[in-house]
Amino acid sequence: MPKPFFTKLVAISAIGFFCVLFGCIFGIATHDRLFILMSLLIGICSILRALSFYHLIHTHAYLSLDVSCTKREQTLFGKNQQYWFASDNGKEYAFSLEKNIKLLAGHRYRLYFRKPQQGTGQSMPCAGDFLGYEELTDQLPELPDTSV
């Protein structure tokens, strides 16, 4: 399982668990049944979301692109910023991603996208299908010097 998927799965599960835990404790302390019910609903939705995401990972219903970021263009008032990428085989890609995603020009990344649906006719993923990224390091680890 890729690292970005693992961290996202842990975050989804942790949010659901702590919402149920604190919601039930607060609801019992204040005798508020509605608060308990709402926290349990949040927990159920969180479990369903985590199971759905795990199913996506387990069935490999995602695409990964190994690319180099060539250009980043920030927008002043928008929610997204524009990125341009180049792959090793010469293809170029442009995606509009959220502002909280910080990719640097000149670095190599592996981008993960949800596979496009069969009936839509899309061949390439769109920015709404973006699942995560990880930076690729092309450096080989240094071996210890054994000559004495």
Side-chain angles (χ1 to χ4, degrees), residues 47-90:
I47 288 171
L48 291 175
R49 185 171 180 211
L51 288 174
S52 172
F53 192 67
Y54 179 76
H55 182 341
L56 179 131
I57 296 167
H58 186 67
T59 59
H60 295 284
Y62 60 88
L63 299 171
S64 64
L65 293 173
D66 292 346
V67 292
S68 297
C69 182
T70 56
K71 183 179 171 186
R72 178 177 101 178
E73 185 177 292
Q74 296 182 351
T75 57
L76 189 58
F77 296 110
K79 293 181 182 178
N80 295 334
Q81 54 188 345
Q82 193 73 21
Y83 287 100
W84 284 268
F85 300 99
S87 66
D88 293 336
N89 59 6

mmCIF file of all heavy atoms in Angstrom, residues 47-90:
data_model
loop_
_atom_site.group_PDB
_atom_site.id
_atom_site.type_symbol
_atom_site.label_atom_id
_atom_site.label_comp_id
_atom_site.label_asym_id
_atom_site.label_seq_id
_atom_site.Cartn_x
_atom_site.Cartn_y
_atom_site.Cartn_z
ATOM 1 N N ILE A 47 -16.617 5.088 8.963
ATOM 2 C CA ILE A 47 -16.297 3.679 8.704
ATOM 3 C C ILE A 47 -16.605 3.320 7.257
ATOM 4 O O ILE A 47 -15.801 2.661 6.584
ATOM 5 C CB ILE A 47 -17.069 2.761 9.669
ATOM 6 C CG1 ILE A 47 -16.491 2.873 11.078
ATOM 7 C CG2 ILE A 47 -17.030 1.310 9.203
ATOM 8 C CD1 ILE A 47 -17.322 2.175 12.136
ATOM 9 N N LEU A 48 -17.761 3.762 6.759
ATOM 10 C CA LEU A 48 -18.117 3.486 5.360
ATOM 11 C C LEU A 48 -17.128 4.125 4.393
ATOM 12 O O LEU A 48 -16.745 3.523 3.389
ATOM 13 C CB LEU A 48 -19.531 3.975 5.075
ATOM 14 C CG LEU A 48 -20.656 3.205 5.763
ATOM 15 C CD1 LEU A 48 -21.998 3.871 5.492
ATOM 16 C CD2 LEU A 48 -20.655 1.756 5.313
ATOM 17 N N ARG A 49 -16.696 5.348 4.694
ATOM 18 C CA ARG A 49 -15.721 6.019 3.828
ATOM 19 C C ARG A 49 -14.374 5.293 3.853
ATOM 20 O O ARG A 49 -13.726 5.123 2.823
ATOM 21 C CB ARG A 49 -15.552 7.466 4.265
ATOM 22 C CG ARG A 49 -14.668 8.244 3.350
ATOM 23 C CD ARG A 49 -14.683 9.705 3.658
ATOM 24 N NE ARG A 49 -13.786 10.388 2.726
ATOM 25 C CZ ARG A 49 -13.129 11.464 3.030
ATOM 26 N NH1 ARG A 49 -13.278 12.036 4.197
ATOM 27 N NH2 ARG A 49 -12.318 12.017 2.147
ATOM 28 N N ALA A 50 -13.944 4.848 5.035
ATOM 29 C CA ALA A 50 -12.680 4.129 5.147
ATOM 30 C C ALA A 50 -12.761 2.788 4.412
ATOM 31 O O ALA A 50 -11.801 2.395 3.726
ATOM 32 C CB ALA A 50 -12.326 3.908 6.612
ATOM 33 N N LEU A 51 -13.887 2.090 4.529
ATOM 34 C CA LEU A 51 -14.046 0.818 3.812
ATOM 35 C C LEU A 51 -14.064 1.029 2.302
ATOM 36 O O LEU A 51 -13.480 0.242 1.550
ATOM 37 C CB LEU A 51 -15.317 0.106 4.265
ATOM 38 C CG LEU A 51 -15.284 -0.494 5.664
ATOM 39 C CD1 LEU A 51 -16.655 -1.038 6.038
ATOM 40 C CD2 LEU A 51 -14.223 -1.574 5.759
ATOM 41 N N SER A 52 -14.719 2.087 1.860
ATOM 42 C CA SER A 52 -14.746 2.394 0.433
ATOM 43 C C SER A 52 -13.347 2.716 -0.082
ATOM 44 O O SER A 52 -12.947 2.267 -1.168
ATOM 45 C CB SER A 52 -15.686 3.568 0.184
ATOM 46 O OG SER A 52 -15.604 4.006 -1.136
ATOM 47 N N PHE A 53 -12.595 3.483 0.685
ATOM 48 C CA PHE A 53 -11.234 3.834 0.287
ATOM 49 C C PHE A 53 -10.328 2.595 0.308
ATOM 50 O O PHE A 53 -9.495 2.417 -0.576
ATOM 51 C CB PHE A 53 -10.685 4.923 1.204
ATOM 52 C CG PHE A 53 -9.413 5.535 0.708
ATOM 53 C CD1 PHE A 53 -9.400 6.290 -0.445
ATOM 54 C CD2 PHE A 53 -8.230 5.356 1.389
ATOM 55 C CE1 PHE A 53 -8.233 6.851 -0.918
ATOM 56 C CE2 PHE A 53 -7.058 5.911 0.930
ATOM 57 C CZ PHE A 53 -7.064 6.662 -0.225
ATOM 58 N N TYR A 54 -10.512 1.729 1.308
ATOM 59 C CA TYR A 54 -9.728 0.490 1.356
ATOM 60 C C TYR A 54 -10.062 -0.400 0.158
ATOM 61 O O TYR A 54 -9.164 -1.027 -0.406
ATOM 62 C CB TYR A 54 -9.985 -0.258 2.669
ATOM 63 C CG TYR A 54 -9.215 -1.553 2.748
ATOM 64 C CD1 TYR A 54 -7.852 -1.533 3.008
ATOM 65 C CD2 TYR A 54 -9.831 -2.768 2.530
ATOM 66 C CE1 TYR A 54 -7.123 -2.706 3.049
ATOM 67 C CE2 TYR A 54 -9.119 -3.946 2.574
ATOM 68 C CZ TYR A 54 -7.765 -3.912 2.839
ATOM 69 O OH TYR A 54 -7.051 -5.079 2.868
ATOM 70 N N HIS A 55 -11.321 -0.437 -0.229
ATOM 71 C CA HIS A 55 -11.712 -1.229 -1.397
ATOM 72 C C HIS A 55 -11.031 -0.683 -2.656
ATOM 73 O O HIS A 55 -10.567 -1.444 -3.506
ATOM 74 C CB HIS A 55 -13.223 -1.212 -1.552
ATOM 75 C CG HIS A 55 -13.757 -2.019 -2.688
ATOM 76 N ND1 HIS A 55 -13.023 -2.420 -3.756
ATOM 77 C CD2 HIS A 55 -14.988 -2.525 -2.938
ATOM 78 C CE1 HIS A 55 -13.740 -3.099 -4.614
ATOM 79 N NE2 HIS A 55 -14.942 -3.177 -4.130
ATOM 80 N N LEU A 56 -10.964 0.634 -2.785
ATOM 81 C CA LEU A 56 -10.277 1.253 -3.924
ATOM 82 C C LEU A 56 -8.808 0.845 -3.954
ATOM 83 O O LEU A 56 -8.257 0.526 -5.007
ATOM 84 C CB LEU A 56 -10.404 2.779 -3.826
ATOM 85 C CG LEU A 56 -9.720 3.582 -4.909
ATOM 86 C CD1 LEU A 56 -10.685 4.597 -5.466
ATOM 87 C CD2 LEU A 56 -8.497 4.272 -4.370
ATOM 88 N N ILE A 57 -8.173 0.823 -2.782
ATOM 89 C CA ILE A 57 -6.758 0.440 -2.703
ATOM 90 C C ILE A 57 -6.587 -1.039 -3.013
ATOM 91 O O ILE A 57 -5.708 -1.429 -3.784
ATOM 92 C CB ILE A 57 -6.196 0.762 -1.309
ATOM 93 C CG1 ILE A 57 -6.224 2.267 -1.041
ATOM 94 C CG2 ILE A 57 -4.775 0.238 -1.155
ATOM 95 C CD1 ILE A 57 -5.990 2.624 0.406
ATOM 96 N N HIS A 58 -7.434 -1.862 -2.410
ATOM 97 C CA HIS A 58 -7.310 -3.319 -2.535
ATOM 98 C C HIS A 58 -7.546 -3.791 -3.975
ATOM 99 O O HIS A 58 -6.897 -4.722 -4.443
ATOM 100 C CB HIS A 58 -8.286 -4.000 -1.578
ATOM 101 C CG HIS A 58 -8.153 -5.478 -1.518
ATOM 102 N ND1 HIS A 58 -7.031 -6.080 -0.997
ATOM 103 C CD2 HIS A 58 -8.986 -6.466 -1.916
ATOM 104 C CE1 HIS A 58 -7.184 -7.392 -1.082
ATOM 105 N NE2 HIS A 58 -8.351 -7.652 -1.628
ATOM 106 N N THR A 59 -8.468 -3.153 -4.689
ATOM 107 C CA THR A 59 -8.766 -3.549 -6.068
ATOM 108 C C THR A 59 -7.890 -2.827 -7.090
ATOM 109 O O THR A 59 -8.067 -3.028 -8.287
ATOM 110 C CB THR A 59 -10.245 -3.283 -6.395
ATOM 111 O OG1 THR A 59 -10.517 -1.891 -6.221
ATOM 112 C CG2 THR A 59 -11.165 -4.122 -5.534
ATOM 113 N N HIS A 60 -6.976 -1.995 -6.624
ATOM 114 C CA HIS A 60 -6.077 -1.219 -7.493
ATOM 115 C C HIS A 60 -6.873 -0.407 -8.513
ATOM 116 O O HIS A 60 -6.535 -0.366 -9.696
ATOM 117 C CB HIS A 60 -5.069 -2.123 -8.196
ATOM 118 C CG HIS A 60 -4.130 -2.784 -7.258
ATOM 119 N ND1 HIS A 60 -3.082 -2.144 -6.670
ATOM 120 C CD2 HIS A 60 -4.105 -4.066 -6.764
ATOM 121 C CE1 HIS A 60 -2.431 -2.980 -5.879
ATOM 122 N NE2 HIS A 60 -3.042 -4.147 -5.902
ATOM 123 N N ALA A 61 -7.912 0.272 -8.049
ATOM 124 C CA ALA A 61 -8.748 1.104 -8.910
ATOM 125 C C ALA A 61 -8.194 2.518 -8.973
ATOM 126 O O ALA A 61 -8.921 3.493 -8.885
ATOM 127 C CB ALA A 61 -10.183 1.105 -8.403
ATOM 128 N N TYR A 62 -6.876 2.616 -9.103
ATOM 129 C CA TYR A 62 -6.233 3.921 -9.186
ATOM 130 C C TYR A 62 -5.106 3.854 -10.211
ATOM 131 O O TYR A 62 -4.604 2.790 -10.549
ATOM 132 C CB TYR A 62 -5.694 4.366 -7.827
ATOM 133 C CG TYR A 62 -4.667 3.441 -7.219
ATOM 134 C CD1 TYR A 62 -3.318 3.583 -7.500
ATOM 135 C CD2 TYR A 62 -5.053 2.410 -6.371
ATOM 136 C CE1 TYR A 62 -2.378 2.726 -6.944
ATOM 137 C CE2 TYR A 62 -4.130 1.552 -5.822
ATOM 138 C CZ TYR A 62 -2.791 1.718 -6.103
ATOM 139 O OH TYR A 62 -1.862 0.863 -5.561
ATOM 140 N N LEU A 63 -4.745 5.018 -10.708
ATOM 141 C CA LEU A 63 -3.628 5.156 -11.645
ATOM 142 C C LEU A 63 -2.508 5.894 -10.945
ATOM 143 O O LEU A 63 -2.746 6.764 -10.099
ATOM 144 C CB LEU A 63 -4.049 5.973 -12.869
ATOM 145 C CG LEU A 63 -5.171 5.438 -13.730
ATOM 146 C CD1 LEU A 63 -5.583 6.493 -14.741
ATOM 147 C CD2 LEU A 63 -4.742 4.176 -14.425
ATOM 148 N N SER A 64 -1.288 5.579 -11.305
ATOM 149 C CA SER A 64 -0.157 6.339 -10.771
ATOM 150 C C SER A 64 0.668 6.856 -11.943
ATOM 151 O O SER A 64 0.904 6.146 -12.918
ATOM 152 C CB SER A 64 0.692 5.478 -9.838
ATOM 153 O OG SER A 64 1.270 4.416 -10.537
ATOM 154 N N LEU A 65 1.058 8.112 -11.824
ATOM 155 C CA LEU A 65 1.888 8.754 -12.842
ATOM 156 C C LEU A 65 3.192 9.182 -12.201
ATOM 157 O O LEU A 65 3.192 9.894 -11.194
ATOM 158 C CB LEU A 65 1.191 9.990 -13.416
ATOM 159 C CG LEU A 65 -0.069 9.800 -14.236
ATOM 160 C CD1 LEU A 65 -0.678 11.154 -14.562
ATOM 161 C CD2 LEU A 65 0.251 9.059 -15.509
ATOM 162 N N ASP A 66 4.317 8.755 -12.768
ATOM 163 C CA ASP A 66 5.627 9.210 -12.320
ATOM 164 C C ASP A 66 6.031 10.369 -13.227
ATOM 165 O O ASP A 66 6.290 10.178 -14.415
ATOM 166 C CB ASP A 66 6.656 8.085 -12.408
ATOM 167 C CG ASP A 66 6.375 6.983 -11.406
ATOM 168 O OD1 ASP A 66 5.565 7.197 -10.488
ATOM 169 O OD2 ASP A 66 6.977 5.898 -11.544
ATOM 170 N N VAL A 67 6.052 11.563 -12.651
ATOM 171 C CA VAL A 67 6.262 12.773 -13.447
ATOM 172 C C VAL A 67 7.205 13.729 -12.735
ATOM 173 O O VAL A 67 7.475 13.596 -11.545
ATOM 174 C CB VAL A 67 4.917 13.489 -13.719
ATOM 175 C CG1 VAL A 67 4.031 12.682 -14.627
ATOM 176 C CG2 VAL A 67 4.201 13.819 -12.422
ATOM 177 N N SER A 68 7.701 14.686 -13.506
ATOM 178 C CA SER A 68 8.497 15.793 -12.970
ATOM 179 C C SER A 68 7.668 17.060 -13.085
ATOM 180 O O SER A 68 7.070 17.325 -14.125
ATOM 181 C CB SER A 68 9.784 15.976 -13.754
ATOM 182 O OG SER A 68 10.603 14.849 -13.644
ATOM 183 N N CYS A 69 7.641 17.833 -12.033
ATOM 184 C CA CYS A 69 6.903 19.096 -12.046
ATOM 185 C C CYS A 69 7.746 20.118 -12.812
ATOM 186 O O CYS A 69 8.883 20.402 -12.439
ATOM 187 C CB CYS A 69 6.630 19.564 -10.622
ATOM 188 S SG CYS A 69 5.674 21.067 -10.532
ATOM 189 N N THR A 70 7.198 20.651 -13.878
ATOM 190 C CA THR A 70 7.947 21.600 -14.691
ATOM 191 C C THR A 70 7.596 23.048 -14.371
ATOM 192 O O THR A 70 8.443 23.927 -14.475
ATOM 193 C CB THR A 70 7.705 21.359 -16.189
ATOM 194 O OG1 THR A 70 6.301 21.424 -16.443
ATOM 195 C CG2 THR A 70 8.254 20.009 -16.604
ATOM 196 N N LYS A 71 6.343 23.285 -13.952
ATOM 197 C CA LYS A 71 5.934 24.665 -13.713
ATOM 198 C C LYS A 71 4.760 24.673 -12.734
ATOM 199 O O LYS A 71 3.910 23.797 -12.769
ATOM 200 C CB LYS A 71 5.519 25.316 -15.027
ATOM 201 C CG LYS A 71 5.152 26.764 -14.933
ATOM 202 C CD LYS A 71 4.782 27.293 -16.313
ATOM 203 C CE LYS A 71 4.204 28.681 -16.234
ATOM 204 N NZ LYS A 71 3.712 29.137 -17.528
ATOM 205 N N ARG A 72 4.736 25.704 -11.897
ATOM 206 C CA ARG A 72 3.626 25.895 -10.953
ATOM 207 C C ARG A 72 3.177 27.335 -11.052
ATOM 208 O O ARG A 72 3.981 28.264 -10.977
ATOM 209 C CB ARG A 72 4.086 25.585 -9.536
ATOM 210 C CG ARG A 72 3.016 25.799 -8.495
ATOM 211 C CD ARG A 72 3.511 25.397 -7.157
ATOM 212 N NE ARG A 72 3.893 26.616 -6.427
ATOM 213 C CZ ARG A 72 4.331 26.618 -5.189
ATOM 214 N NH1 ARG A 72 4.525 25.497 -4.549
ATOM 215 N NH2 ARG A 72 4.625 27.739 -4.598
ATOM 216 N N GLU A 73 1.889 27.517 -11.231
ATOM 217 C CA GLU A 73 1.345 28.863 -11.355
ATOM 218 C C GLU A 73 0.271 29.046 -10.295
ATOM 219 O O GLU A 73 -0.753 28.381 -10.313
ATOM 220 C CB GLU A 73 0.744 29.053 -12.749
ATOM 221 C CG GLU A 73 0.262 30.443 -13.030
ATOM 222 C CD GLU A 73 -0.235 30.557 -14.453
ATOM 223 O OE1 GLU A 73 0.591 30.466 -15.371
ATOM 224 O OE2 GLU A 73 -1.452 30.719 -14.624
ATOM 225 N N GLN A 74 0.525 29.964 -9.363
ATOM 226 C CA GLN A 74 -0.422 30.206 -8.286
ATOM 227 C C GLN A 74 -1.451 31.244 -8.708
ATOM 228 O O GLN A 74 -1.124 32.194 -9.413
ATOM 229 C CB GLN A 74 0.308 30.690 -7.040
ATOM 230 C CG GLN A 74 1.251 29.664 -6.470
ATOM 231 C CD GLN A 74 1.929 30.172 -5.206
ATOM 232 O OE1 GLN A 74 1.823 31.320 -4.843
ATOM 233 N NE2 GLN A 74 2.649 29.282 -4.550
ATOM 234 N N THR A 75 -2.673 31.040 -8.255
ATOM 235 C CA THR A 75 -3.711 32.033 -8.481
ATOM 236 C C THR A 75 -3.890 32.834 -7.205
ATOM 237 O O THR A 75 -3.746 32.310 -6.106
ATOM 238 C CB THR A 75 -5.041 31.369 -8.869
ATOM 239 O OG1 THR A 75 -5.408 30.450 -7.852
ATOM 240 C CG2 THR A 75 -4.920 30.646 -10.197
ATOM 241 N N LEU A 76 -4.216 34.094 -7.348
ATOM 242 C CA LEU A 76 -4.306 34.967 -6.198
ATOM 243 C C LEU A 76 -5.593 34.754 -5.411
ATOM 244 O O LEU A 76 -5.592 34.674 -4.196
ATOM 245 C CB LEU A 76 -4.185 36.423 -6.643
ATOM 246 C CG LEU A 76 -4.048 37.463 -5.550
ATOM 247 C CD1 LEU A 76 -2.828 37.161 -4.688
ATOM 248 C CD2 LEU A 76 -3.937 38.841 -6.155
ATOM 249 N N PHE A 77 -6.721 34.625 -6.097
ATOM 250 C CA PHE A 77 -7.997 34.546 -5.409
ATOM 251 C C PHE A 77 -8.703 33.202 -5.573
ATOM 252 O O PHE A 77 -9.755 32.993 -4.995
ATOM 253 C CB PHE A 77 -8.929 35.655 -5.896
ATOM 254 C CG PHE A 77 -8.403 37.016 -5.563
ATOM 255 C CD1 PHE A 77 -7.937 37.855 -6.549
ATOM 256 C CD2 PHE A 77 -8.359 37.447 -4.252
ATOM 257 C CE1 PHE A 77 -7.457 39.112 -6.243
ATOM 258 C CE2 PHE A 77 -7.878 38.702 -3.930
ATOM 259 C CZ PHE A 77 -7.418 39.536 -4.930
ATOM 260 N N GLY A 78 -8.190 32.300 -6.352
ATOM 261 C CA GLY A 78 -8.855 31.026 -6.582
ATOM 262 C C GLY A 78 -8.540 29.991 -5.524
ATOM 263 O O GLY A 78 -7.657 30.162 -4.683
ATOM 264 N N LYS A 79 -9.277 28.894 -5.561
ATOM 265 C CA LYS A 79 -9.058 27.799 -4.618
ATOM 266 C C LYS A 79 -8.003 26.818 -5.133
ATOM 267 O O LYS A 79 -7.543 25.970 -4.389
ATOM 268 C CB LYS A 79 -10.356 27.031 -4.399
ATOM 269 C CG LYS A 79 -11.421 27.814 -3.692
ATOM 270 C CD LYS A 79 -12.661 26.959 -3.496
ATOM 271 C CE LYS A 79 -13.761 27.737 -2.827
ATOM 272 N NZ LYS A 79 -14.975 26.931 -2.677
ATOM 273 N N ASN A 80 -7.660 26.910 -6.397
ATOM 274 C CA ASN A 80 -6.742 25.956 -7.022
ATOM 275 C C ASN A 80 -5.515 26.664 -7.570
ATOM 276 O O ASN A 80 -5.485 27.875 -7.726
ATOM 277 C CB ASN A 80 -7.444 25.209 -8.159
ATOM 278 C CG ASN A 80 -8.577 24.345 -7.665
ATOM 279 O OD1 ASN A 80 -8.588 23.910 -6.525
ATOM 280 N ND2 ASN A 80 -9.552 24.119 -8.509
ATOM 281 N N GLN A 81 -4.507 25.868 -7.888
ATOM 282 C CA GLN A 81 -3.332 26.368 -8.593
ATOM 283 C C GLN A 81 -3.016 25.397 -9.724
ATOM 284 O O GLN A 81 -3.329 24.217 -9.644
ATOM 285 C CB GLN A 81 -2.155 26.558 -7.653
ATOM 286 C CG GLN A 81 -1.770 25.367 -6.834
ATOM 287 C CD GLN A 81 -0.716 25.736 -5.808
ATOM 288 O OE1 GLN A 81 -0.095 26.768 -5.877
ATOM 289 N NE2 GLN A 81 -0.509 24.866 -4.845
ATOM 290 N N GLN A 82 -2.414 25.905 -10.756
ATOM 291 C CA GLN A 82 -2.147 25.140 -11.966
ATOM 292 C C GLN A 82 -0.739 24.553 -11.913
ATOM 293 O O GLN A 82 0.213 25.261 -11.597
ATOM 294 C CB GLN A 82 -2.304 26.035 -13.194
ATOM 295 C CG GLN A 82 -2.351 25.322 -14.497
ATOM 296 C CD GLN A 82 -3.654 24.591 -14.723
ATOM 297 O OE1 GLN A 82 -4.669 24.884 -14.129
ATOM 298 N NE2 GLN A 82 -3.612 23.593 -15.575
ATOM 299 N N TYR A 83 -0.630 23.258 -12.224
ATOM 300 C CA TYR A 83 0.666 22.566 -12.296
ATOM 301 C C TYR A 83 0.841 21.968 -13.684
ATOM 302 O O TYR A 83 -0.108 21.471 -14.282
ATOM 303 C CB TYR A 83 0.726 21.426 -11.278
ATOM 304 C CG TYR A 83 0.879 21.864 -9.851
ATOM 305 C CD1 TYR A 83 -0.212 21.917 -9.003
ATOM 306 C CD2 TYR A 83 2.119 22.201 -9.338
ATOM 307 C CE1 TYR A 83 -0.073 22.302 -7.681
ATOM 308 C CE2 TYR A 83 2.270 22.586 -8.016
ATOM 309 C CZ TYR A 83 1.171 22.635 -7.201
ATOM 310 O OH TYR A 83 1.312 23.019 -5.898
ATOM 311 N N TRP A 84 2.089 21.997 -14.165
ATOM 312 C CA TRP A 84 2.443 21.334 -15.407
ATOM 313 C C TRP A 84 3.494 20.283 -15.083
ATOM 314 O O TRP A 84 4.453 20.544 -14.351
ATOM 315 C CB TRP A 84 3.008 22.339 -16.417
ATOM 316 C CG TRP A 84 1.938 23.177 -17.022
ATOM 317 C CD1 TRP A 84 1.248 22.925 -18.164
ATOM 318 C CD2 TRP A 84 1.428 24.426 -16.534
ATOM 319 N NE1 TRP A 84 0.344 23.930 -18.406
ATOM 320 C CE2 TRP A 84 0.429 24.852 -17.409
ATOM 321 C CE3 TRP A 84 1.705 25.204 -15.410
ATOM 322 C CZ2 TRP A 84 -0.279 26.030 -17.231
ATOM 323 C CZ3 TRP A 84 0.995 26.377 -15.221
ATOM 324 C CH2 TRP A 84 0.022 26.773 -16.122
ATOM 325 N N PHE A 85 3.292 19.101 -15.650
ATOM 326 C CA PHE A 85 4.169 17.968 -15.397
ATOM 327 C C PHE A 85 4.654 17.387 -16.717
ATOM 328 O O PHE A 85 3.987 17.510 -17.744
ATOM 329 C CB PHE A 85 3.432 16.865 -14.630
ATOM 330 C CG PHE A 85 2.909 17.289 -13.296
ATOM 331 C CD1 PHE A 85 1.585 17.643 -13.131
ATOM 332 C CD2 PHE A 85 3.745 17.324 -12.196
ATOM 333 C CE1 PHE A 85 1.101 18.036 -11.905
ATOM 334 C CE2 PHE A 85 3.271 17.709 -10.960
ATOM 335 C CZ PHE A 85 1.946 18.065 -10.813
ATOM 336 N N ALA A 86 5.820 16.731 -16.659
ATOM 337 C CA ALA A 86 6.354 16.012 -17.820
ATOM 338 C C ALA A 86 6.756 14.619 -17.354
ATOM 339 O O ALA A 86 7.395 14.460 -16.311
ATOM 340 C CB ALA A 86 7.554 16.744 -18.396
ATOM 341 N N SER A 87 6.373 13.609 -18.135
ATOM 342 C CA SER A 87 6.738 12.240 -17.794
ATOM 343 C C SER A 87 8.026 11.860 -18.516
ATOM 344 O O SER A 87 8.525 12.594 -19.360
ATOM 345 C CB SER A 87 5.605 11.272 -18.157
ATOM 346 O OG SER A 87 5.431 11.234 -19.546
ATOM 347 N N ASP A 88 8.550 10.693 -18.179
ATOM 348 C CA ASP A 88 9.798 10.231 -18.782
ATOM 349 C C ASP A 88 9.644 9.930 -20.270
ATOM 350 O O ASP A 88 10.611 10.022 -21.026
ATOM 351 C CB ASP A 88 10.304 8.983 -18.055
ATOM 352 C CG ASP A 88 10.730 9.296 -16.628
ATOM 353 O OD1 ASP A 88 11.061 10.470 -16.354
ATOM 354 O OD2 ASP A 88 10.716 8.365 -15.803
ATOM 355 N N ASN A 89 8.432 9.550 -20.699
ATOM 356 C CA ASN A 89 8.229 9.207 -22.104
ATOM 357 C C ASN A 89 7.859 10.421 -22.959
ATOM 358 O O ASN A 89 7.491 10.272 -24.116
ATOM 359 C CB ASN A 89 7.169 8.112 -22.249
ATOM 360 C CG ASN A 89 5.827 8.507 -21.675
ATOM 361 O OD1 ASN A 89 5.637 9.633 -21.254
ATOM 362 N ND2 ASN A 89 4.899 7.567 -21.646
ATOM 363 N N GLY A 90 7.939 11.640 -22.395
ATOM 364 C CA GLY A 90 7.743 12.855 -23.173
ATOM 365 C C GLY A 90 6.342 13.438 -23.123
ATOM 366 O O GLY A 90 6.108 14.497 -23.700
#
